[in-house]
Amino acid sequence: MAVTLNRRLMLAALTGASALALSMGTAYAADYRIAAVVQSLDTEFNVLWANAANAHPLVKDGSVELTILDGRMDPLNQSNQFDTAINEKYDAIIFVPVDINAGNDPVQRARDAGVPVIGSNTLISDTSLYTAYISSNDVAAGEILAKSVVDRMGGKGNVVIVEGMIGQSAQVQRLEGIQKALAAYPDVKVIETRTANWSRAESLTLVENWLTSHGGDIQGIIAENDEMAIGSLEAVKAYGLDPANVPVAGVDGVTDALLAVQRGEMMSTLQDADAQAQGAIDLALAAAEGEGYAPKAAVWDVNGGTLAWDNGKGTQYSVPWVPVTAENVEALLALREAK
């Protein structure tokens, strides 16, 4: 069935599987129904992802009914949401998993039921279960993180690593990249590594404790996302240290991180939520509609973007990272404010 235009938007941003059938807006039938099972709607990047998904042209005009489900950082909750999406006969599921291994079983159940699953952002360990997936290379992100901090340190000194939630693909792969990069710097020593669960508040407390224990022996802080980098930066400043002397780096390009880069206080690499979310919707529609679907999001090469659509037949799509610099941060902030 071809996707048609000019239908009213129906959107449900729901928190539990039992509420999946509810929606907001006028009850016109959409041509396709997609469930997006996401990690959480409590962090800025995930909200940016959800907002980008809602802004997809076919979601905005009502041709596609998008139901966004908040997994609340709970793999069991996400598993239950999968079961409901399957039972409600959604045409496709987009999955941003909480846990790299726990996500395999629900994707397998969807596959067995004939429901295509598109991975986005974080991934499951058995990516062969996906119909396709679109993400950014988190090993590369870890390498960028570590190198940016160590280069500011002059290639020697002590660093601490603030990890994300243990068991998520981003945590696993970014740590792999960090360790890979640090292996090239024999004069750099890792003196502490611990999770702060992607949380700014947890990172603040963790780094405060490390500074109390190690003081000036910490010369750099590698945080696996921007929220934790910002918490680390707050701890550094509260301890009375100059951020110029204790480089901090994160990943995602959330607004506060962009502002901190603008002030010259930290480093960040932007993760393109628009490409990951809207690209996933196009891939879900290609899987549901079959041959001949033309992508509608502006992220693809056919629309002036940088990703190769490959007729929607690829299984793996890699969204490039965007290093945030003094030269481009103003433009990135302007884009953020315009959304």
Side-chain angles (χ1 to χ4, degrees):
M1 178 173 59
V3 175
T4 59
L5 305 180
N6 300 319
R7 300 276 181 86
R8 293 289 302 273
L9 171 65
M10 297 195 302
L11 168 67
L14 307 178
T15 57
S18 63
L20 183 61
L22 301 178
S23 64
M24 297 169 58
T26 307
Y28 293 108
D31 290 301
Y32 291 105
R33 299 164 65 235
I34 298 174
V37 179
V38 303
Q39 293 175 353
S40 167
L41 294 175
D42 286 338
T43 65
E44 183 179 344
F45 181 81
N46 286 319
V47 171
L48 290 171
W49 188 100
N51 288 343
N54 291 332
H56 186 281
L58 297 183
V59 176
K60 286 184 71 174
D61 73 22
S63 302
V64 173
E65 177 190 336
L66 176 65
T67 302
I68 297 179
L69 296 166
D70 184 351
R72 296 182 177 179
M73 287 299 184
D74 183 345
L76 178 59
N77 194 36
Q78 289 194 310
S79 180
N80 292 336
Q81 289 167 343
F82 256 77
D83 289 338
T84 307
I86 293 166
N87 292 335
E88 292 288 337
K89 301 187 184 304
Y90 273 69
D91 296 295
I93 298 172
I94 297 172
F95 192 24
V96 184
V98 170
D99 187 276
I100 192 171
N101 293 315
N104 290 329
D105 285 345
V107 176
Q108 181 68 66
R109 295 198 301 273
R111 178 173 175 155
D112 292 343
V115 181
V117 179
I118 307 299
S120 181
N121 186 239
T122 57
L123 303 172
I124 57 175
S125 57
D126 188 357
T127 55
S128 68
L129 295 174
Y130 289 131
T131 301
Y133 64 94
I134 180 167
S135 63
S136 298
N137 186 326
D138 278 312
V139 175
E143 293 182 77
I144 293 168
L145 268 172
K147 192 172 186 307
S148 64
V149 170
V150 172
D151 285 350
R152 289 279 184 95
M153 294 165 52
K156 61 183 179 180
N158 298 326
V159 298
V160 295
I161 301 172
V162 186
E163 290 202 75
M165 183 177 288
I166 303 301
Q168 286 195 346
S169 66
Q171 174 269 320
V172 172
Q173 293 171 350
R174 289 177 191 175
L175 180 61
E176 178 185 343
I178 290 166
Q179 293 171 333
K180 182 178 178 182
L182 292 181
Y185 295 91
D187 294 326
V188 173
K189 180 181 179 182
V190 179
I191 59 174
E192 294 281 3
T193 302
R194 192 173 300 176
T195 182
N197 294 305
W198 307 123
S199 165
R200 186 181 308 196
E202 287 191 40
S203 179
L204 170 62
T205 300
L206 179 63
V207 175
E208 282 178 337
N209 291 337
W210 283 346
L211 288 168
T212 299
S213 299
H214 301 286
D217 289 336
I218 297 175
Q219 279 91 47
I221 301 173
I222 302 169
E224 290 180 352
N225 81 338
D226 276 345
E227 293 290 345
M228 297 188 302
I230 294 163
S232 301
L233 176 62
E234 291 174 352
V236 166
K237 295 195 310 189
Y239 195 75
L241 299 175
D242 186 346
N245 297 327
V246 185
V248 177
V251 173
D252 281 341
V254 301
T255 304
D256 282 350
L258 297 181
L259 292 169
V261 172
Q262 185 184 47
R263 296 192 302 269
E265 293 182 341
M266 66 170 273
M267 296 165 285
S268 179
T269 300
L270 185 137
Q271 185 169 202
D272 191 342
D274 287 13
Q276 291 185 10
Q278 295 194 13
I281 290 175
D282 272 335
L283 291 170
L285 291 170
E289 182 170 309
E291 187 120 5
Y293 173 76
K296 305 302 187 294
V299 301
W300 303 105
D301 49 2
V302 293
N303 290 316
T306 58
L307 282 173
W309 172 243
D310 191 26
N311 294 317
K313 295 181 179 179
T315 57
Q316 178 180 354
Y317 295 82
S318 184
V319 178
W321 296 102
V322 180
V324 183
T325 66
E327 291 72 31
N328 68 9
V329 68
E330 299 284 350
L332 293 173
L333 281 167
L335 285 173
R336 183 66 48 78
E337 291 170 1
K339 291 180 180 179

